[in-house]
Amino acid sequence: MAMSGNRGPGGMLAEINVTPMVDVMLVLLIIFMVTAPMIDKTEEDKRKVDLELPVTRDNPNQINPEDSDKMILEISRDLKVHIGETLVVDCSAQLEGSEKTRFEPCFDEIELKLGANQKLQDEGEIYLLADTEIPYGFVVGTMARIKKAGIDKLGMVTNPEYLTDDADPEE
């Protein structure tokens, strides 16, 4: 930190060198600008992702879930998980709350029951039909547990019943 100025014969400074102080202030300004967007967000806000899944209408591989003999794991809006008419797990109580691990007991039960289903293990294939209003993390967690249960082929049902023929696909 060099000081400059008019040094007289006695070595006195006539003015103050402000360059180091400006450098420190610029560094602090940059730190403030980088950290300010992160200050107001809660942990829940950081994890949220606004995502609108695409709606497909021109899929040549469309199947009608009611006419298919394949096993379909259906997740309803109230987080009840069914295979056909059989209730696999009811996670509606965990719908409230925001802890990261709130769905873990449901995922454990899904994995356990799918792993114990002999027909499903023999086929090694299942389709997933999830309501569009459920938390995205629940679908992803369910998909991970299906894989952990030893089911290699997982299909997503992309033509749910809310899409009727007269609905406008551009909406």
Side-chain angles (χ1 to χ4, degrees):
M1 187 159 88
M3 302 288 280
S4 65
N6 297 331
R7 294 185 179 194
M12 294 195 50
L13 299 175
E15 47 187 69
I16 298 173
N17 186 357
V18 294
T19 303
M21 186 170 54
V22 171
D23 289 345
V24 169
M25 289 185 59
L26 286 175
V27 169
L28 290 175
L29 180 64
I30 290 170
I31 290 171
F32 175 75
M33 289 170 43
V34 169
T35 58
M38 296 182 235
I39 291 173
D40 284 336
K41 291 186 177 181
T42 63
E43 189 64 32
E44 182 69 21
D45 290 340
K46 290 177 188 172
R47 293 183 10 199
K48 284 185 179 177
V49 175
D50 289 330
L51 181 66
E52 190 166 318
L53 297 176
V55 176
T56 59
R57 296 195 130 258
D58 297 327
N59 184 356
N61 298 322
Q62 286 186 353
I63 62 166
N64 186 349
E66 295 172 0
D67 295 340
S68 175
D69 59 342
K70 302 292 182 187
M71 295 188 79
I72 299 174
L73 185 75
E74 183 175 352
I75 306 172
S76 64
R77 185 171 296 201
D78 56 354
L79 296 185
K80 290 182 180 173
V81 181
H82 291 86
I83 293 180
E85 298 295 322
T86 306
L87 178 68
V88 175
V89 63
D90 182 2
C91 300
S92 57
Q94 282 83 15
L95 197 55
E96 301 298 324
S98 62
E99 305 95 38
K100 286 182 191 177
T101 59
R102 66 181 165 156
F103 296 129
E104 287 302 319
C106 298
F107 294 150
D108 291 342
E109 195 166 340
I110 289 170
E111 180 182 346
L112 182 70
K113 289 191 176 177
L114 294 181
N117 187 325
Q118 190 59 43
K119 181 182 177 201
L120 184 60
Q121 293 297 320
D122 291 344
E123 291 180 2
E125 180 180 18
I126 194 167
Y127 287 94
L128 180 62
L129 173 62
D131 191 281
T132 58
E133 299 295 322
I134 63 172
Y136 178 73
F138 192 84
V139 176
V140 173
T142 301
M143 291 169 67
R145 293 308 179 103
I146 289 171
K147 183 83 174 175
K148 279 181 138 182
I151 301 160
D152 295 330
K153 293 183 180 177
L154 171 66
M156 300 289 292
V157 178
T158 59
N159 54 347
E161 63 275 2
Y162 71 87
L163 287 177
T164 60
D165 289 336
D166 56 353
D168 186 6
E170 299 299 322
E171 290 182 359

